[in-house]
């Protein structure tokens, strides 16, 4: 059955508009993925997961991360002790550091997979990246759950007092790195969902050769 010229033009116009919108959304998704991959490095190495508060008995002020404990000193730079230089996490947070490290590996692998747009269909690349981002979010979520369960440790007692326990920070409170990790779980869920949507729309609405066109547009942006 022949297709009328009007319907053919309308279909071609629809596909052109789809490619343009897919290009814009795909570039935004790729930029957000790269930005959060960089933020994930900051989350892993920063000694700002918990810190002392002004309430409670007088104690040295400081903060703690997965690798270091930093106490305020008379110098402008705090006195940090730990194994960041050797990538050796604090004993109580080894499992948390491993999970955050796996999450970091997954998100950076999804960033490297953007190069596959040159060789594979856009829908396939989006699905690969979506599963990697779901893996990253799952591991980061487990890390955020295990971290407060590990507070009953010698390092936390030195910094936060003897009243610390599982899910009880004593004289400390969570700091911005831990909050950023919690927000990262939501960010990974949004990025993975968006990647699945982009992949499914291209599978359903575009002809077989169109994903390669979109991939070329995305890589040339």
């Amino acid at each position: 059955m022949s297709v009328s010229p009007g319907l053919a033009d309308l279909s071609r116009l629809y596909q052109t508009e789809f490619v343009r919108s897919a290009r814009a959304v795909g570039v935004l998704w790729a930029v957000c993925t790269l930005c959060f991959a960089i933020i994930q490095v900051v989350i892993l190495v920063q000694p700002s997961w918990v810190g002392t508060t002004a309430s409670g008995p007088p104690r040295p002020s400081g903060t703690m991360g997965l690798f270091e404990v930093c106490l305020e000193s008379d110098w402008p730079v705090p006195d940090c002790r730990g194994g960041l230089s050797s990538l050796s996490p604090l004993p109580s947070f080894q499992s948390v550091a491993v999970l955050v490290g796996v999450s970091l590996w997954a998100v950076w692998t999804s960033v490297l997979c953007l190069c596959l747009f040159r060789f594979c269909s856009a829908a396939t690349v989006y699905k690969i990246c979506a599963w990697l981002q779901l893996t990253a979010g799952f591991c980061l979520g487990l890390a955020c759950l295990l971290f407060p369960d590990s507070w009953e440790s010698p390092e936390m007692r030195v910094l936060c007092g003897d009243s610390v326990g599982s899910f009880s920070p004593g004289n400390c409170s969570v700091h911005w790195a831990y909050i950023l990790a919690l927000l990262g779980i939501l960010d990974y869920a949004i990025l993975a969902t968006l990647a699945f949507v982009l992949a499914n729309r291209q599978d359903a609405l575009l002809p077989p050769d169109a994903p390669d066109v979109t991939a070329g547009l995305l890589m040339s942006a």
Side-chain angles (χ1 to χ4, degrees), residues 85-111:
S85 58
S86 60
L87 293 180
S88 177
L90 298 175
S92 303
F93 303 133
Q94 287 182 350
S95 58
V96 179
V98 169
L99 286 170
V100 178
V102 173
S103 177
L104 181 64
W105 168 83
V107 68
W108 274 105
T109 303
S110 71
V111 171

Side-chain angles (χ1 to χ4, degrees), residues 97-168:
V98 169
L99 286 170
V100 178
V102 173
S103 177
L104 181 64
W105 168 83
V107 68
W108 274 105
T109 303
S110 71
V111 171
L112 295 177
C113 284
L114 297 179
C115 299
L116 296 178
F117 278 114
R118 291 288 187 183
F119 311 103
C120 306
S121 68
T124 300
V125 179
Y126 280 132
K127 290 176 182 178
I128 293 173
C129 292
W131 282 111
L132 286 170
Q133 289 168 351
L134 283 179
T135 302
F138 177 75
C139 291
L140 190 60
L142 282 181
C144 291
L145 183 62
L146 289 178
F147 179 68
D149 189 47
S150 306
W151 282 347
E152 195 171 359
S153 64
E155 296 86 1
M156 282 288 291
R157 292 186 184 278
V158 171
L159 185 66
C160 306
D162 295 331
S163 59
V164 296
S166 296
F167 297 93
S168 177

Side-chain angles (χ1 to χ4, degrees), residues 7-27:
L7 288 178
D9 292 341
L10 182 61
S11 176
R12 199 157 39 246
L13 177 62
Y14 176 76
Q15 291 178 5
T16 302
E17 291 299 324
F18 175 85
V19 170
R20 289 177 179 174
S21 63
R23 176 189 181 186
V25 177
V27 169

Side-chain angles (χ1 to χ4, degrees), residues 1 18 30 46 55 67 73-74 87 97 100 116 149 156 162 178 202:
M1 179 182 293
F18 175 85
Q46 277 295 313
S55 60
F67 292 88
S73 62
D74 296 333
L87 293 180
V100 178
L116 296 178
D149 189 47
M156 282 288 291
D162 295 331
Y178 182 70
Q202 294 209 22

Side-chain angles (χ1 to χ4, degrees), residues 2-9:
S2 60
V3 181
S4 64
L7 288 178
D9 292 341

